[in-house]
Amino acid sequence: MSIPREGGAQRPIAGATRRVRVPEKPGVDGLEARWGEAWESAGTYRFDPGAPPDKVFAIDTPPPTVSGSLHIGHAMSYTHTDVVARFWRMRGRAVLYPMGWDDNGLPTERRVQNYFGVRCDPGLPYDPGFEPPSQRGRELVAVSRPNFVELCHRLTAEDERAFEHVWRTLGLSVDWSRTYTTIGDRSRRASQLAFLRMLARDEVYQHEAPTLWDVDFHTAVSQAELEDRERPGAYHRIRFALVGGDASAEVQIETTRPVLLPACVALVAHPEDGRYRPLFGRTVRTPLFGVEVPVVAHALADPEKGTGIAMVCTFGDTTDIVWWRELHLPTRTVVGRDGRLEPVPWGAPGWESDDLDGALGAYGELVGRTVRQAQERIVELLSRSGDLVGEPRAITHPVKFYEKGERPLEIVSSRQWFVRTLQHRQRLLERGEELHWHPGYMAHRYRAWVEGLNSDWNISRQRFFGVPFPVWYALDDDGAVRYDRRLLPQPGRLPVDPSTDVPDGYAPDQRGRPGGFVGDPDVMDTWATSSLTPLIVSGWEEDPELFARVFPMDLRPQAHDIIRTWLFATVVRSELELGALPWSDAAISGFVVDPDRKKMSKSTGNATTPLPYLERHGADAVRYWAAGGKLGTDTALDEGQMKVGRRLAIKILNASKFVLGRSSPDGGGPPETPPAAEVPPPAAAVIEPIDRDLLRRLGGVVTEATSALAGYDHSRALELTEGFFWSFCDDYLELVKNRSYGDPADPRAVSARTTLVLALSVQLRLFAPFLPYVTEEVWSWWQAGSVHLAPWPDAAAELEPFLGSVAAGGAPAPVWGESPVLDAATEVLAAVRKEKTTHKRSMRARVASLTVVDLPDRLEHLRAAERDLLDAGGIEPGGLALREGGPASVTVVLDGA
RNA sequence: GGGCGCUUAGCUCAGUUGGUUAGAGCGCAGCCUUCACACGGCUGAGGUCGUGGGUUCGAGUCCCUCAGCGCCCACCA
């Protein structure tokens, strides 16, 4: 017999039945190493690239950042994904479950810099024989970009091995032959090719504009990488003299950044603000610097804030950019890319001052100071000149930071590459609606982000370890860079590094020479590459046949904190390149929080790597805990749950040992028939009502667990399976234990054994996605092949034939989950146990008499289970009395009582 | 300031479309030993379901108010 597969494929339930071999003392320790190797050598989790598209289940695995360390939160969310992968694999899908390593980007640069004692100088030529200093010196050694990138590769390769070990131990059913890295050749090629395609379609553009800038990392950052942090600050009230009219007339503003006074280009108030309306069109003079600036009106000015009139500087915050752009204000920038005040040409056009000596003097001593130092000094100067009104008023306010940075962002003007996102807002919102989110409310996060977008996506970073922009620029005869004359490589040359490679038609010695060329110095934002993961793993522009089979993918699993970055960026790229969603479903995991409900993270010092937990409790136990966490919900780290998981795994071993070992007449032989069976026992083998009840109840669990898993509710599926299993052990096993020992010629014994083995087979497969090790171990005791390639249980196909309905022909379909005989027997058994416990007697104590008073149909059910009940309860022959009547009662009289 | 989620036993959480005495595991208490399992088994005690209203024959479940916690977003002078 074979089980109908999803979509009609057929696969036998197991290979040839082997002789049952049950260990004397089964245990859970050491299973990870043994089965890890077995799965690897058997290729159990290999993706079948020949599978037709409707048989593929493709997962866009999140590539963890390898320069960091794995966190117990990763263990949880990757377990969620693995459960899904294993479920669909058992359902007959060819599962594409690759692993990626995110080694591209700033975290790796920092680690390499510290580890090898080198720094990247992109101006240097490549040195093929370079070896890093064996001893880290005080000075960092400057190396070329290609050399630096080589060192990044060397270090990340080590990290990747360590990560792989953790994932293998956890039991992820990844196809390790399909591993990629975000800095590898395939990723670089895909990133550059996709970039050139966008350039050709005018979906990406280069633009010189005010940009949020991290002064420590010396790079621009994008809107998605910002975070607000509450910082102490102070309102400084500053006097501006009104030009013309009464010499004593003045305007007072409040600012938290008096340091930007020399960069002030206007004062702005709300157009309806009666206090300032008379001043619109007039000018004021900045204190200390004597620069004449206009008083202007703009609706963004908030009459409630400060004095209701604000100083516009180039540039203090993003509102300044809006005012500067919309009111066509001049530019006077003072903060340099290193976060220090830079020299400015006082007196020159744009820097006219009424008090040139004052400006030169006041500003002169600020040049070269950091923003923070200069602020202190300028406050002193203002105080001395009498332009500071009152004392600064301390406040706490949100300040924009780069999420990885330590100093507030500044805004500087720079040349950057942008992907057009704003003009596609509507389409991107529609894609978000189309995607199936798990849980559904996570769609709000995406929508809020897309609706709130206020700038195009800046994808250029002024860093080194990333994918270079595949662009050179021609130099004119004066040696000036002609940004309008781009030199692009043919796609066949990709990946290229313009800092060392030479554009077609040029010679290497023309680099940087008049009439020659220069390479674009920047690299892509890490999200510009990772947004292509569905394309990279699907073989886009590399393996068209594979791509046609797996794209669009089925599942993007990830955490909720990177919806605005990774998920959003991926939707953007897929929409621009292919006009399609990259996957049908997104499963969003929550975080792991410590028992005090605080988010666990490196910065708070309570980060935890998964390995110690895996070693302490075992992989199945850690997975059990992880699978208990629902998607989207934060889950507390709970070693208690891991212990429960370990106990469950051990219980599975022991119960299986009983079913497979002791249930056969000679105490060691196999049940004559394989469990769910190519050579099934006659369908009529299961004759006892209580056995059929067990199968009906199990069928209910199968049905519900299957739909729970198909709907990404893994915790529900586990809970159902586990609940059934404990009742199977505590009640059913006890009830039929005695009967199962019986003579093989006794049909009642055969019925029990057949049911036990069948139920075990189904339960092992239900547990397999959650507890891959212990289920594989037990499966190997009597089945050929891996449980992970066995078909997912199917109640109608596997269980129904044993319920008599098929044999009877035309009998009604079973009502899954209904088990009145088993329920009644279990309840009476519980009453017997309670009586024994109350009298502090052993569970083996004999029962002299048991009287049940109940309704007729109920008594009928008990009668159907009478002999099992007598055995399990230790009831003396003839001791059971069933009487019609009410109210219902169970009276137990113990022997010797 | 806007949005989303959460608030059920000491702890961690289930409670599906509103329907009889609100469930599980852990922990706790008591008891039982070894014929699958002491890495065990049995039994038990624990809850006015955050607050205040409303709809309904009936609300943990639907609506409104408020409070607390968490997360996301925001133009932060």
Side-chain angles (χ1 to χ4, degrees):
Chain A
M1 176 176 125
S2 57
I3 304 302
R5 307 291 303 146
E6 194 202 39
Q10 301 264 321
R11 190 162 46 150
I13 196 161
T17 302
R18 304 192 308 200
R19 176 159 181 81
V20 174
R21 287 183 51 249
V22 180
E24 193 54 42
K25 189 80 181 163
V28 293
D29 294 322
L31 295 181
E32 291 89 351
R34 183 182 345 152
W35 289 110
E37 283 168 29
W39 293 330
E40 178 61 29
S41 62
T44 307
Y45 306 125
R46 284 289 163 85
F47 171 65
D48 172 10
D54 65 331
K55 287 288 162 197
V56 169
F57 191 88
I59 300 170
D60 185 17
T61 315
T65 305
V66 287
S67 54
S69 57
L70 283 179
H71 181 271
I72 191 71
H74 291 110
M76 179 179 78
S77 55
Y78 281 76
T79 295
H80 295 166
T81 306
D82 188 59
V83 167
V84 172
R86 289 179 181 277
F87 169 68
W88 286 107
R89 193 180 292 113
M90 293 176 76
R91 292 258 276 176
R93 298 284 194 94
V95 175
L96 176 64
Y97 185 15
M99 185 56 65
W101 306 124
D102 188 11
D103 42 15
N104 166 355
L106 202 44
T108 299
E109 276 190 34
R110 281 196 283 184
R111 198 164 130 68
V112 165
Q113 191 163 313
N114 294 333
Y115 190 90
F116 291 115
V118 298
R119 68 181 174 83
C120 181
D121 181 345
L124 292 175
Y126 177 57
D127 174 0
F130 177 79
E131 273 300 312
S134 54
Q135 201 84 38
R136 235 210 90 165
R138 295 180 67 85
E139 287 283 299
L140 297 174
V141 178
V143 301
S144 73
R145 181 152 87 184
N147 284 114
F148 189 79
V149 168
E150 275 179 10
L151 294 175
C152 289
H153 282 303
R154 192 197 289 193
L155 190 58
T156 54
E158 284 176 29
D159 293 334
E160 286 157 15
R161 275 192 295 277
F163 276 35
E164 183 174 332
H165 172 69
V166 174
W167 284 156
R168 282 184 182 271
T169 306
L170 184 61
L172 298 188
S173 59
V174 160
D175 179 350
W176 289 102
S177 70
R178 292 182 175 270
T179 302
Y180 66 95
T181 66
T182 56
I183 198 63
D185 284 352
R186 281 165 61 203
S187 299
R188 293 209 314 284
R189 181 172 175 278
S191 302
Q192 293 187 337
L193 183 59
F195 172 83
L196 292 174
R197 294 268 184 95
M198 287 197 295
L199 192 57
R201 293 191 300 257
D202 191 35
E203 286 159 355
V204 64
Y205 61 93
Q206 200 178 32
H207 185 49
E208 167 115 22
T211 313
L212 286 158
W213 184 270
D214 187 289
V215 297
D216 291 311
F217 291 115
H218 276 246
T219 183
V221 301
S222 68
Q223 188 188 351
E225 292 169 304
L226 305 181
E227 71 181 30
D228 287 353
R229 296 184 198 161
E230 286 292 330
R231 283 296 132 117
Y235 274 126
H236 299 76
R237 185 176 281 241
I238 298 172
R239 224 192 291 276
F240 282 63
L242 201 55
V243 175
D246 185 351
S248 64
E250 63 177 40
V251 182
Q252 294 186 0
I253 61 104
E254 284 199 323
T255 179
T256 56
R257 302 198 68 188
V259 64
L260 292 176
L261 195 55
C264 176
V265 293
L267 298 190
V268 63
H270 194 275
E272 304 298 317
D273 193 332
R275 294 170 298 174
Y276 299 108
R277 200 146 41 173
L279 299 182
F280 297 147
R282 297 188 62 182
T283 61
V284 296
R285 209 179 299 290
T286 61
L288 299 184
F289 303 99
V291 176
E292 199 171 321
V293 300
V295 180
V296 295
H298 193 279
L300 275 184
D302 182 353
E304 303 295 314
K305 271 185 192 158
T307 59
I309 186 164
M311 156 172 106
V312 183
C313 305
T314 53
F315 299 94
D317 61 33
T318 50
T319 317
D320 280 342
I321 300 178
V322 175
W323 283 325
W324 168 80
R325 191 176 56 228
E326 295 186 4
L327 300 170
H328 306 289
L329 297 169
T331 310
R332 268 193 285 279
T333 59
V334 296
V335 178
R337 296 185 176 196
D338 56 359
R340 292 171 186 274
L341 269 63
E342 55 188 13
V344 298
W346 289 108
W351 294 89
E352 293 90 351
S353 168
D354 245 38
D355 179 10
L356 197 52
D357 290 345
L360 289 169
Y363 194 78
E365 62 170 303
L366 300 177
V367 171
R369 298 197 193 208
T370 64
V371 166
R372 194 195 169 112
Q373 294 162 345
Q375 169 118 329
E376 279 178 27
R377 182 57 188 151
I378 214 162
V379 171
E380 286 170 19
L381 292 173
L382 284 169
S383 183
R384 193 187 302 163
S385 70
D387 293 309
L388 183 66
V389 182
E391 284 296 304
R393 197 155 47 84
I395 57 156
T396 303
H397 63 153
V399 177
K400 286 205 185 306
F401 280 72
Y402 173 40
E403 58 189 357
K404 296 186 171 69
E406 279 160 15
R407 282 200 277 173
L409 292 171
E410 295 295 342
I411 295 172
V412 306
S413 190
S414 60
R415 179 172 296 278
Q416 306 286 344
W417 288 102
F418 293 86
V419 174
R420 298 186 197 281
T421 53
L422 295 178
Q423 68 189 56
H424 302 303
R425 196 193 304 265
Q426 197 50 42
R427 275 158 73 199
L428 295 170
L429 285 170
E430 284 162 15
R431 291 300 182 201
E433 298 292 320
E434 215 177 294
L435 185 61
H436 299 120
W437 297 83
H438 308 281
Y441 60 76
M442 286 295 173
H444 297 305
R445 298 270 181 103
Y446 175 89
R447 182 163 14 93
W449 174 251
V450 177
E451 284 174 349
L453 284 175
N454 56 32
S455 62
D456 279 336
W457 176 17
N458 179 349
I459 57 165
S460 45
R461 297 291 178 273
Q462 290 65 50
R463 301 298 310 175
F464 318 111
F465 189 54
V467 179
F469 286 87
V471 178
W472 297 268
Y473 306 98
L475 298 183
D476 66 17
D477 293 340
D478 301 327
V481 178
R482 294 288 302 272
Y483 288 106
D484 57 336
R485 285 185 54 204
R486 296 176 187 135
L487 308 170
L488 304 176
Q490 292 301 312
R493 282 189 68 186
L494 302 178
V496 297
D497 182 348
S499 75
T500 52
D501 295 324
V502 174
D504 293 334
Y506 288 82
D509 62 4
Q510 286 180 280
R511 185 183 295 275
R513 298 278 172 76
F517 69 91
V518 290
D520 188 303
D522 292 348
V523 297
M524 295 180 198
D525 170 20
T526 186
W527 301 113
T529 295
S530 53
S531 58
L532 297 172
T533 53
L535 301 186
I536 293 167
V537 301
S538 300
W540 174 70
E541 292 298 311
E542 195 175 271
D543 184 344
E545 197 170 324
L546 178 69
F547 188 71
R549 286 168 200 268
V550 307
F551 192 91
M553 304 179 82
D554 294 271
L555 176 64
R556 156 59 70 84
Q558 63 164 76
H560 55 69
D561 57 335
I562 53 175
I563 288 174
R564 66 172 179 169
T565 49
W566 192 35
L567 193 143
F568 168 71
T570 311
V571 171
V572 169
R573 300 303 294 278
S574 186
E575 179 63 24
L576 293 182
E577 190 57 44
L578 298 152
L581 263 187
W583 354 259
S584 60
D585 291 69
I588 309 296
S589 290
F591 289 133
V592 171
V593 294
D594 69 17
D596 303 328
R597 310 297 306 167
K598 282 183 298 236
K599 180 186 167 186
M600 301 184 75
S601 70
K602 250 189 186 165
S603 52
T604 56
N606 56 359
T608 316
T609 63
L611 214 46
Y613 295 96
L614 290 168
E615 284 162 358
R616 204 149 50 227
H617 306 286
D620 283 340
V622 173
R623 293 174 61 103
Y624 173 86
W625 159 76
K630 294 173 110 66
L631 286 178
T633 306
D634 290 352
T635 300
L637 176 60
D638 187 351
E639 291 202 70
Q641 281 304 103
M642 296 183 194
K643 287 177 183 158
V644 173
R646 184 181 172 88
R647 200 169 66 113
L648 173 62
I650 292 166
K651 189 78 172 178
I652 289 173
L653 289 175
N654 286 315
S656 301
K657 179 182 164 194
F658 168 76
V659 170
L660 296 174
R662 302 307 306 263
S663 66
S664 60
D666 56 12
E672 292 74 5
T673 52
E678 297 114 78
V679 189
V686 179
I687 56 170
E688 286 288 309
I690 198 168
D691 297 339
R692 292 186 171 186
D693 269 13
L694 183 89
L695 297 182
R696 261 191 294 273
R697 195 191 277 183
L698 178 57
V701 171
V702 168
T703 308
E704 281 194 61
T706 302
S707 57
L709 280 167
Y712 293 92
D713 190 355
H714 46 255
S715 60
R716 171 95 183 125
L718 175 57
E719 189 185 332
L720 285 164
T721 305
E722 187 188 9
F724 178 90
F725 175 70
W726 284 106
S727 158
F728 173 78
C729 291
D730 295 343
D731 301 324
Y732 179 77
L733 224 54
E734 294 301 326
L735 281 163
V736 305
K737 189 181 267 185
N738 223 305
R739 173 155 56 90
S740 74
Y741 290 139
D743 191 309
D746 176 1
R748 295 185 63 250
V750 172
S751 179
R753 287 205 291 271
T754 304
T755 305
L756 283 169
V757 176
L758 184 55
L760 178 66
S761 166
V762 169
Q763 288 179 91
L764 286 175
R765 284 175 284 142
L766 290 175
F767 274 128
F770 303 98
L771 311 173
Y773 290 108
V774 72
T775 51
E776 186 76 317
E777 169 70 10
V778 173
W779 196 257
S780 75
W781 292 347
W782 99 110
Q783 299 277 16
S786 171
V787 70
H788 302 298
L789 296 177
W792 184 253
D794 180 320
E798 292 184 54
L799 302 179
E800 194 169 335
F802 293 90
L803 297 176
S805 33
V806 168
V815 180
W816 299 115
E818 198 163 272
S819 52
V821 175
L822 182 55
D823 295 345
T826 302
E827 265 176 54
V828 172
L829 185 60
V832 172
R833 285 170 173 161
K834 183 167 182 170
E835 189 68 12
K836 290 177 179 176
T837 296
T838 306
H839 291 88
K840 304 189 176 183
R841 300 283 294 274
S842 159
M843 284 302 123
R844 323 195 121 270
R846 302 294 297 172
V847 173
S849 76
L850 173 66
T851 308
V852 180
V853 179
D854 214 323
L855 297 173
D857 60 335
R858 178 88 164 169
L859 298 180
E860 197 53 46
H861 294 144
L862 287 176
R863 218 163 268 129
E866 181 169 346
R867 290 170 69 179
D868 289 340
L869 205 46
L870 291 176
D871 284 338
I875 299 161
E876 297 296 348
L880 181 63
L882 302 174
R883 296 207 189 110
E884 279 183 38
S889 70
V890 179
T891 309
V892 182
V893 179
L894 297 181
D895 230 12

